[in-house]
Amino acid sequence: MNVNDAISTGQTPGTTGPRGGNAVRSIDQATTDLGNGLRELVLSVPGVHCGACIRVIETGLGALSGISVARVNLSQRRIRVIWNASETSGDFILARLEELGFKAHLPDTNREDAADDARYRGLLLALAVSGFAAGNIMLLSISVWSGADASTRDLFHWISALIAIPAVAVAGRPFFSSAGAALVARRLNMDVPISLAVILALTLSVFETSRGGPHAYFDAVVTLLFFLLIGRTLNHLMRRRSRGAAAQLSRLAPHDAILLQSDGTRTEIAVSALRVGDRVLIRSGDRVPVDGITLDTPVIVDAAMVSGESAPISLADGEPLIAGMLNRGTAFHMQATAIASDSFIAEITRLMEAVEGAKTRYRRLSDRAAGIYAPTVHIVAGLTFLFWWLTSGDLHRAAYTAIAVLIITCPCALALAIPTVQAAASNRLFRIGVLLKDGDALERLSDIDHVVLDKTGTLTDQRQIIANSADIDDMALALAAALAAASAHPRAQAIRDLASARGLAAPIHAVPREYPGYGLELVDGDRILRLGRADWAVDAVTNDAAGDTILAVDGMQRATFRFVEVLRPGARMIAADLATRGLDVEMLSGDHQTPVRRMADTLGIPDCRAGMSPAGKLARLDEIAESGRKALMVGDGLNDGLALSAAHASIAPSEASDVGRSAADLVFLGSSLGAVTEAIDIARKARALMRQNLVLTLTYNLVAVPIAVTGLATPLVAAIAMSLSSVVVTANAMRLALMPVPTERGDGS
């Protein structure tokens, strides 16, 4: 079996799929071409379970030539790698992972769920065995503690040994297998000191029992495992509850599709096998498997998964479909325009996985501390053993104390402190329809003290109404629609819709040019046509045309389009909501002063600036930054791209222009601006939880380590303390994920 076969999603190598080719997905098929010779790959690495594992993988892969990004997502046990195809390959990356002691395979939700369930069952079995053994050995120990004579004591010790040895072999397997894999790869993880402590205590007890000594710790060893397993099982359950949003999205995505063959037959195939141009049957209740276009009319779909809007929408023949839409009507046919790895769901999943594994400021601090802490644990334990042995001469006391140090100083909580909050925050944002595009954005969003709002398309609904449509003749409307075809601006869309309703065709064939913030221009023979701002389109502007969209021919006004703007849901309360959070608010718009001032007064925004070009908005953001403030830019249009990129943090609606969505740090899927304030609240809460977790782990270690070193903590107490510290930081992070999802706001909210 070759390397590519080794990472198959579980199908037997050599089997063929419905198209007659080999259905095994290889690295080459799974990578994403990012351009400029860069390729991206996401792999599932089931063996990752702690901060030490993350550090080993990221450091080991990061040292390879050509690797630019290597990020591990602990909640999903996945790794995202970006590399230069001219310097290394996916096969070499996989081989390097195996050298580091980690087996990898292509992401497969079903396979990962099965492995997760198997891991959970293994933990439950180990917990049951250790609990049963601990209870029985403890009864024997009570008799010894009660003053049994030497022969009875030895007998009970041997019975305890017969119970403890097989119990440790079974209950300790989760720790031993992990530690063994780490040592084979010549590295350390958090299970190495745990395994070392358990084996040392068991060996010391058997040795003492064989020589008839009074000291045996079988009860402590098995009870130690019992409490360690309680902590690990609880952590496993909590991390399943706070599983990343990307995993939830993957579970919603369809895995099979019904392919329509050229002869009319239907074949059920894996979604990953679909090709561009394939015809697919979407039954009632099925989700659209890949991006495509409809081949029937009407098509009724629920786009809540894509846009956040739960109301079904109707699509006509030839209109675009996005992967994840749910068929709410009768069965229909579609044609694929993208393969599964390039679809909307795949793109969003990759984006969210990258964010959940991103290296934020607190995450980098936590990783550095955990990296230093792991070897320090063994050094401190060794020094503790030597100190007690040399000062007391009691080998048992020295070993017992060193074992407690190995256990109590395990950096589990430190490794979990930040990643669990990141996963919970990403999951929480996803539940309210907000997508993070950058891991650092969460921290930057929590720091903002100033908010800059765009007007058109941000505070207002994307759709606009032409108030004077009856006054516009067909020829002027057709000319305007021809120009508007080159723009995604809401006003351009309204003009196109009106022309379409009248059945008008564009009388020109050249390609218009868009000037962001101004309008559209087209040279048609000896004519120059402009559609946009009055002060740009015509030579002489009349006062009554200010704020309208003007169609001009050679500088002469040909038609005036007056628009009625519809407020976006949540817009009426956005200024008040932001002000209650201590944030200054202002509005920047390329529109004329009169409608901008009117909108600001309506929404209670104290500061507004009209006639702002893209360069003007950028200059204003730079001015805010120079004053020491940190601004959040909320915008949607092509003319907002520079400002969105320059702001300390930025957010755009999903229906924004491609430039706007690309430049923004966050994208909200619904229509309500309430998502902006909710995202700010979540970011601030996440920052607080990260700080709390770091303080909790620091406090734990400052208190626990001296107690263990001075011999005041037994291995059993150490196990309880270590397990509780991990559970506490995980549970603290889950406070964010368990917050109730707010109800959708209306226009008057």
Side-chain angles (χ1 to χ4, degrees):
M1 182 180 290
N2 59 34
V3 173
N4 286 340
D5 291 337
I7 62 163
S8 72
T9 57
Q11 182 170 342
T12 304
T15 58
T16 57
R19 295 185 185 276
N22 194 311
V24 176
R25 294 178 64 202
S26 69
I27 286 185
D28 292 336
Q29 294 172 318
T31 57
T32 302
D33 189 352
L34 302 180
N36 298 321
L38 295 178
R39 302 198 70 84
E40 180 185 41
L41 176 67
V42 175
L43 290 171
S44 178
V45 191
V48 175
H49 67 278
C50 70
C53 301
I54 295 174
R55 186 177 63 259
V56 167
I57 292 177
E58 292 182 348
T59 303
L61 291 184
L64 296 179
S65 175
I67 300 288
S68 57
V69 173
R71 292 287 180 264
V72 175
N73 183 326
L74 181 61
S75 65
Q76 286 191 267
R77 292 186 170 89
R78 290 185 180 181
I79 179 171
R80 170 175 168 261
V81 188
I82 298 178
W83 73 91
N84 191 316
S86 64
E87 297 185 53
T88 189
S89 67
D91 289 345
F92 189 74
I93 291 170
L94 185 68
R96 177 58 177 157
L97 279 172
E98 292 192 359
E99 288 177 7
L100 295 172
F102 297 93
K103 294 187 179 296
H105 60 80
L106 292 177
D108 182 339
T109 304
N110 292 332
R111 180 176 178 179
E112 289 163 7
D113 285 347
D116 193 63
D117 290 341
R119 191 179 300 111
Y120 181 52
R121 288 195 299 271
L123 286 173
L124 289 180
L125 174 63
L127 183 63
V129 169
S130 61
F132 176 79
N136 284 277
I137 294 175
M138 192 63 69
L139 290 175
L140 296 171
S141 298
I142 291 173
S143 300
V144 173
W145 300 338
S146 300
D149 57 35
S151 59
T152 303
R153 180 197 64 204
D154 291 344
L155 174 63
F156 284 179
H157 278 174
W158 278 116
I159 295 174
S160 297
L162 292 175
I163 298 173
I165 292 173
V168 168
V170 174
R173 185 176 300 173
F175 307 99
F176 300 156
S177 59
S178 172
L183 293 175
V184 167
R186 298 186 298 279
R187 60 182 176 85
L188 297 175
N189 66 9
M190 70 179 189
D191 288 331
V192 172
I194 290 175
S195 301
L196 183 59
V198 170
I199 292 172
L200 282 175
L202 183 64
T203 302
L204 187 62
S205 298
V206 172
F207 175 74
E208 279 296 299
T209 299
S210 66
R211 58 190 294 268
H215 301 291
Y217 313 111
F218 296 114
D219 52 349
V221 171
V222 180
T223 309
L224 164 66
L225 279 177
F226 178 63
F227 280 102
L228 287 173
L229 286 164
I230 289 176
R232 181 149 298 189
T233 304
L234 288 175
N235 264 317
H236 183 86
L237 289 172
M238 289 180 179
R239 284 164 64 178
R240 288 178 75 170
R241 288 287 302 273
S242 62
R243 180 73 62 87
Q248 298 180 32
L249 192 60
S250 295
R251 284 172 174 77
L252 291 175
H255 300 288
D256 300 305
I258 299 176
L259 176 69
L260 301 178
Q261 305 284 6
S262 57
D263 60 1
T265 59
R266 301 174 181 179
T267 306
E268 187 168 337
I269 66 171
V271 170
S272 59
L274 286 175
R275 300 170 183 167
V276 174
D278 280 347
R279 291 165 56 90
V280 181
L281 173 66
I282 309 298
R283 297 168 299 192
S284 179
D286 285 354
R287 290 194 182 273
V288 175
V290 294
D291 297 348
I293 58 173
T294 62
L295 297 177
D296 295 316
T297 189
V299 169
I300 309 298
V301 294
D302 179 349
M305 182 175 173
V306 175
S307 66
E309 303 297 337
S310 57
I313 59 176
S314 178
L315 301 176
D317 185 10
E319 291 200 68
L321 290 163
I322 299 178
M325 287 181 169
L326 180 66
N327 182 11
R328 289 295 191 187
T330 59
F332 66 87
H333 300 88
M334 65 166 286
Q335 184 174 32
T337 58
I339 60 175
S341 60
D342 294 335
S343 69
F344 170 82
I345 291 178
E347 178 186 356
I348 296 302
T349 300
R350 286 194 297 268
L351 184 67
M352 298 180 74
E353 286 175 342
V355 169
E356 289 175 10
K359 289 287 189 179
T360 63
R361 181 174 69 237
Y362 293 111
R363 173 76 178 273
R364 288 190 291 268
L365 176 62
S366 174
D367 285 353
R368 282 197 298 270
I372 297 171
Y373 204 73
T376 303
V377 168
H378 296 84
I379 294 173
V380 171
L383 292 176
T384 300
F385 175 80
L386 290 175
F387 171 80
W388 282 99
W389 188 23
L390 294 175
T391 56
S392 68
D394 188 342
L395 181 63
H396 300 91
R397 177 72 180 274
Y400 203 64
T401 305
I403 289 169
V405 171
L406 282 172
I407 296 168
I408 207 168
T409 55
C410 181
C412 307
L414 186 60
L416 292 170
I418 304 305
T420 49
V421 177
Q422 277 185 283
S426 177
N427 179 37
R428 182 68 182 82
L429 286 169
F430 177 66
R431 289 171 62 196
I432 66 168
V434 178
L435 302 178
L436 269 172
K437 293 177 57 186
D438 182 358
D440 284 336
L442 195 66
E443 288 182 12
R444 287 188 276 109
L445 183 61
S446 68
D447 293 335
I448 64 162
D449 51 21
H450 193 92
V451 179
V452 177
L453 300 168
D454 172 50
K455 181 177 77 71
T456 306
T458 302
L459 290 171
T460 63
D461 193 276
Q462 286 288 325
R463 296 165 296 174
Q464 295 197 23
I465 301 171
I466 301 175
N468 63 331
S469 59
D471 300 332
I472 303 170
D473 63 83
D474 287 352
M475 179 57 72
L477 180 57
L479 286 172
L483 287 162
S487 175
H489 194 280
R491 291 191 173 187
Q493 179 64 49
I495 292 172
R496 292 198 301 271
D497 290 344
L498 180 60
S500 176
R502 293 189 186 180
L504 300 176
I508 52 180
H509 305 287
V511 179
R513 178 180 179 185
E514 184 169 12
Y515 294 88
Y518 295 95
L520 297 136
E521 181 183 78
L522 183 143
V523 178
D524 184 35
D526 58 353
R527 297 185 304 173
I528 297 178
L529 307 178
R530 284 185 173 180
L531 179 70
R533 286 170 46 169
D535 58 357
W536 173 76
V538 299
D539 295 334
V541 184
T542 60
N543 288 333
D544 61 345
D548 296 330
T549 293
I550 304 299
L551 172 67
V553 180
D554 295 328
M556 300 297 292
Q557 184 170 327
R558 176 68 178 80
T560 300
F561 294 85
R562 292 191 172 91
F563 290 87
V564 177
E565 295 180 310
V566 179
L567 287 177
R568 182 185 286 273
R572 292 189 182 276
M573 290 298 295
I574 185 69
D577 287 347
L578 293 172
T580 59
R581 289 161 175 80
L583 302 171
D584 296 326
V585 186
E586 68 176 272
M587 181 170 65
L588 303 182
S589 176
D591 206 347
H592 191 267
Q593 177 66 31
T594 300
V596 171
R597 184 69 263 174
R598 185 187 308 119
M599 178 71 71
D601 291 342
T602 299
L603 302 182
I605 299 175
D607 187 11
C608 66
R609 305 188 184 202
M612 299 289 287
S613 65
K617 291 183 178 181
L618 176 61
R620 176 56 184 155
L621 265 297
D622 289 340
E623 181 183 328
I624 292 171
E626 289 172 1
S627 69
R629 288 175 291 171
K630 298 175 180 178
L632 168 68
M633 176 67 194
V634 186
D636 76 308
L638 181 63
N639 60 332
D640 296 321
L642 290 174
L644 289 166
S645 298
H648 187 71
S650 55
I651 185 168
S654 59
E655 65 268 26
S657 67
D658 290 342
V659 172
R661 288 197 307 273
S662 298
D665 297 316
L666 302 94
V667 174
F668 64 92
L669 300 178
S671 60
S672 175
L673 280 172
V676 175
T677 52
E678 289 156 14
I680 293 171
D681 290 343
I682 291 170
R684 289 179 170 182
K685 183 67 173 178
R687 177 182 61 183
L689 291 176
M690 288 180 186
R691 291 176 175 176
Q692 289 172 17
N693 276 357
L694 287 176
V695 170
L696 285 171
T697 55
L698 178 61
T699 302
Y700 164 76
N701 286 293
L702 288 176
V703 173
V705 173
I707 290 176
V709 169
T710 54
L712 298 177
T714 65
L716 179 57
V717 172
I720 296 172
M722 190 271 286
S723 298
L724 284 177
S725 67
S726 299
V727 171
V728 165
V729 296
T730 306
N732 194 44
M734 284 186 64
R735 291 168 53 203
L736 185 63
L738 296 176
M739 290 171 58
V741 179
T743 57
E744 185 71 15
R745 296 171 171 228
D747 287 330
S749 65

